[in-house]
Amino acid sequence: MEKVIVFDTTLRDGEQAPGAALTSEQKLEVAYQLQNLGVDIIEAGFPIASPDDFKAVSLVARDINTSIVCGLARCLKDDIEAAYNSLKKARRSRIHIFLATSKIHLQYKFKKVEDEILAIAKKGTHLARNYCDDIEFSPEDATRSNRDFLFRVIETAIKQGARTINIPDTVGYSYPQEIHSLITDIFNNVSNIQKAVISIHCHDDLGMATANSLSAVLAGARQVHCTVNGIGERAGNASLEEIAMALKTRKDVFGNLYTQIATKEISRASRLVSTSTGFVVPPNKAIVGDNAFRHESGIHQDAILKKRITYEIMNPQDIGIGRSELVLGKHSGRHALNKRLKDLGFKLDEKRINVIFKRFKELADKKKEIFDDDLIVLAEEEIREKKRIYELASVKVVTGTDIIPEATVKIKHKGLLRQAESRGDGPVDACYKAIDKITKIKAKLLNYKLEAITKGKDAQGLVRVEIRAKAKTTIGRGSSTDILEASVKAYLDALNQVR
Ligand code: KIV
Ligand code: ZN
């Protein structure tokens, strides 16, 4: 068996997706789940980019035990030193340096000639190697670079001590056969290539990121860059779940290649990344979309009942779907709750456990049975809810088929209890208008989505809203067994992120 190394860049390239900014705490939470997933390397950020990025990489480096933690740097002294400093506490660290090699970038971005770029690559790799044994080098825009020049740059980086050479399809321009021939050419033309692992980094601008990554693997690449849910710059990066499941499902094609991804953790990782970033996973997204294992047509349903493999190439349980177990009830104690949250992969301090326990008891009063998915939502809400500028105190709505709905909402704000009433086109609209009277923020509701977290009449509803206010788009979430309460909480959560 031969391993394909999984280099996850959800926290770096993924976070570069417009609107996906994560706090350091959220990044750490995602990093724990990436570790549970079994990713080999976590690229935690670009430390020179901002103090927040530096802090996030430092936190991940301090707390992650099994995965290698990596920081990105340009081939510049300050960048490399920032990466080194942010990674000081890591058990195992890697510095990932990059430098563009395509004519387009040389001419318009750097205004430099090839020999100058070669010298920067040499100096940068050499410097980085003085700080860290594990250096990865990326010739940015490799797929649009002149091949002979690319080979020279790679050879130089390896000579200076780079152990991994990553080939980025930076603008998602390539296609599978082309990637295959590029990787083959690198193997055939770079004299010292056996001293390094070849890696691939694909973007999805033409929808070929996963196909391109797999094509590189077939040509001999043994590391893949990817992100959970495929989030990333522009159209995103190759998605981790697609690559892991393709290698697992198509053993006939990939033979003895494997990743060490614990695929049963995929579903939870997908949810966590979606709730942390606010990026809703499209229902038709491969592997993790809501519809990925749903069968609508009668012919399909009939055949599935006879034999699943007629229309299902993967087992949803292998991805961790449908494993929500009945876990706790009204009489369960703090210890049982804490243990279950740990089993679900949450690392929470006592203060947070106490808040979640209180909410759990409130929920258990309303709902007989508490499932894993209920707990996950409670825990994720607590992790997410840091700045509660506006907090719901109570909501009352008078509504019916032949009256105009009227809402009374009470909100806690800066230690004061404030109240407003409003009518609206529907009960949710009435609540939101009442809230607008209190906050005086002119917010436009762009999106509203309600889903049930678990099954049954007493299921919790999870509401996601997207609003536009003060020239900023924010996403809020709220859950409750009462959908109006969930709707109000989601709206307040979105408003709390508007400054
Ligand atoms: O897309 C890209 O080229 C990158 C590099 C930093 C590897 O993200
Ligand atoms: Zn990228």
Side-chain angles (χ1 to χ4, degrees):
M1 298 290 275
E2 215 184 323
K3 181 168 158 176
V4 176
I5 300 163
V6 174
F7 179 113
D8 181 278
T9 183
T10 306
L11 298 176
R12 200 277 298 167
D13 222 345
E15 213 234 2
Q16 279 175 225
L22 299 175
T23 64
S24 318
E25 282 208 341
Q26 285 176 317
K27 280 193 169 189
L28 187 56
E29 206 57 43
V30 172
Y32 279 129
Q33 181 56 17
L34 293 173
Q35 183 168 250
N36 291 340
L37 255 181
V39 310
D40 299 279
I41 297 127
I42 297 174
E43 187 167 49
F46 190 3
I48 193 87
S50 71
D52 276 353
D53 249 49
F54 185 93
K55 184 176 161 205
V57 179
S58 311
L59 283 179
V60 174
R62 189 194 66 191
D63 289 359
I64 289 296
N65 301 317
T66 52
S67 310
I68 294 173
V69 181
C70 175
L72 182 69
R74 288 167 295 184
C75 272
L76 300 173
K77 187 168 179 281
D78 287 354
D79 281 44
I80 292 165
E81 283 178 355
Y84 165 74
N85 287 324
S86 68
L87 292 166
K88 268 184 180 159
K89 294 207 169 124
R91 310 295 171 288
R92 291 190 297 157
S93 59
R94 172 176 295 189
I95 297 179
H96 173 198
I97 51 176
F98 73 103
L99 179 67
T101 48
S102 68
K103 249 200 181 104
I104 302 169
H105 281 236
L106 262 59
Q107 190 176 344
Y108 298 106
K109 198 166 90 175
F110 295 133
K111 297 193 181 1
K112 287 196 191 307
V113 295
E114 288 183 347
D115 281 348
E116 289 173 291
I117 293 295
L118 204 59
I120 297 171
K122 184 174 174 187
K123 200 169 152 201
T125 316
H126 186 81
L127 179 67
R129 191 63 174 73
N130 284 341
Y131 283 112
C132 182
D133 286 343
D134 189 351
I135 299 299
E136 173 160 340
F137 179 87
S138 285
E140 191 189 6
D141 207 14
T143 53
R144 292 193 302 169
S145 299
N146 170 283
R147 290 216 176 161
D148 286 332
F149 179 56
L150 182 66
F151 302 150
R152 280 167 66 209
V153 173
I154 294 173
E155 204 158 61
T156 302
I158 296 174
K159 222 178 250 167
Q160 294 306 316
R163 281 195 197 164
T164 305
I165 297 295
N166 178 52
I167 304 301
D169 184 25
T170 302
V171 288
Y173 182 70
S174 210
Y175 63 96
Q177 286 86 342
E178 193 176 39
I179 290 276
H180 194 282
S181 89
L182 174 59
I183 301 294
T184 307
D185 282 358
I186 291 172
F187 274 117
N188 291 335
N189 290 282
V190 176
S191 66
N192 52 4
I193 197 67
Q194 295 313 331
K195 291 189 180 155
V197 172
I198 297 241
S199 169
I200 185 76
H201 175 108
C202 295
H203 280 271
D204 211 29
D205 299 66
L206 292 172
M208 289 190 274
T210 298
N212 283 341
S213 305
L214 293 171
S215 188
V217 168
L218 287 174
R222 287 295 173 265
Q223 178 182 282
V224 181
H225 278 212
C226 49
T227 62
V228 174
N229 297 340
I231 64 167
E233 272 291 346
R234 307 179 310 278
N237 289 57
S239 100
L240 180 148
E241 60 278 6
E242 292 172 14
I243 289 167
M245 290 313 290
L247 285 171
K248 187 178 166 90
T249 307
R250 293 303 306 271
K251 290 211 180 342
D252 56 327
V253 179
F254 296 104
N256 62 352
L257 295 174
Y258 73 98
T259 70
Q260 72 173 31
I261 293 298
T263 60
K264 283 190 163 53
E265 293 292 330
I266 285 177
S267 173
R268 190 168 126 56
S270 164
R271 275 181 60 157
L272 181 63
V273 168
S274 165
T275 52
S276 309
T277 55
F279 286 175
V280 178
V281 177
N284 62 331
K285 166 80 181 65
I287 320 288
V288 290
D290 277 354
N291 292 348
F293 292 95
R294 282 196 184 140
H295 303 275
E296 192 65 31
S297 122
I299 298 170
H300 289 206
Q301 285 173 353
D302 181 58
I304 282 265
L305 290 173
K306 289 178 179 141
K307 195 82 183 160
R308 289 203 83 83
I309 54 165
T310 48
Y311 285 102
E312 231 170 59
I313 58 164
M314 291 167 277
N315 185 343
Q317 270 143 24
D318 282 349
I319 292 132
I321 295 170
R323 66 177 174 132
S324 188
E325 286 161 28
L326 171 64
V327 277
L328 301 168
K330 193 174 173 154
H331 302 294
S332 307
R334 192 181 311 254
H335 184 70
L337 174 77
N338 195 0
K339 174 160 187 333
R340 193 63 206 153
L341 287 169
K342 265 195 192 140
D343 290 348
L344 289 169
F346 290 97
K347 309 258 183 320
L348 301 154
D349 59 26
E350 209 180 321
K351 211 168 127 206
R352 285 201 153 144
I353 297 280
N354 289 341
V355 177
I356 297 168
F357 185 64
K358 187 168 165 274
R359 292 198 182 166
F360 159 72
K361 284 290 178 184
E362 286 163 6
L363 184 62
D365 275 340
K366 296 182 193 158
K367 191 174 185 293
K368 259 199 338 266
E369 300 163 325
I370 310 277
F371 294 84
D372 279 346
D373 286 345
D374 291 313
L375 289 186
I376 290 169
V377 168
L378 286 187
E380 283 174 354
E381 249 178 32
E382 174 51 23
I383 292 160
R384 191 178 156 80
E385 264 184 34
K386 278 216 298 8
K387 22 179 199 355
R388 280 182 224 148
I389 303 162
Y390 301 106
E391 202 178 343
L392 175 65
S394 70
V395 55
K396 194 173 96 191
V397 182
V398 181
T399 187
T401 47
D402 48 6
I403 56 168
I404 298 174
E406 198 164 338
T408 306
V409 181
K410 287 186 191 162
I411 289 174
K412 285 185 224 155
H413 179 231
K414 294 188 176 163
L416 294 173
L417 192 60
R418 302 174 59 192
Q419 174 175 331
E421 290 86 31
S422 181
R423 293 176 151 204
D425 289 339
V428 173
D429 185 49
C431 291
Y432 288 5
K433 284 190 170 130
I435 293 171
D436 290 348
K437 281 188 187 171
I438 297 173
T439 63
K440 296 197 171 51
I441 297 174
K442 278 202 175 73
K444 185 169 183 233
L445 183 66
L446 304 175
N447 235 312
Y448 173 97
K449 193 175 168 217
L450 165 69
E451 62 181 289
I453 296 167
T454 44
K455 292 197 177 75
K457 271 194 279 182
D458 61 355
Q460 282 202 90
L462 175 67
V463 173
R464 283 193 182 95
V465 297
E466 189 180 348
I467 65 164
R468 180 101 188 136
K470 294 189 183 171
K472 200 173 167 190
T473 303
T474 59
I475 292 180
R477 289 163 26 100
S479 66
S480 170
T481 48
D482 177 336
I483 57 170
L484 273 178
E485 188 182 331
S487 304
V488 169
K489 280 179 163 177
Y491 194 58
L492 290 175
D493 186 31
L495 286 172
N496 280 337
Q497 295 164 59
V498 176
R499 279 181 221 183

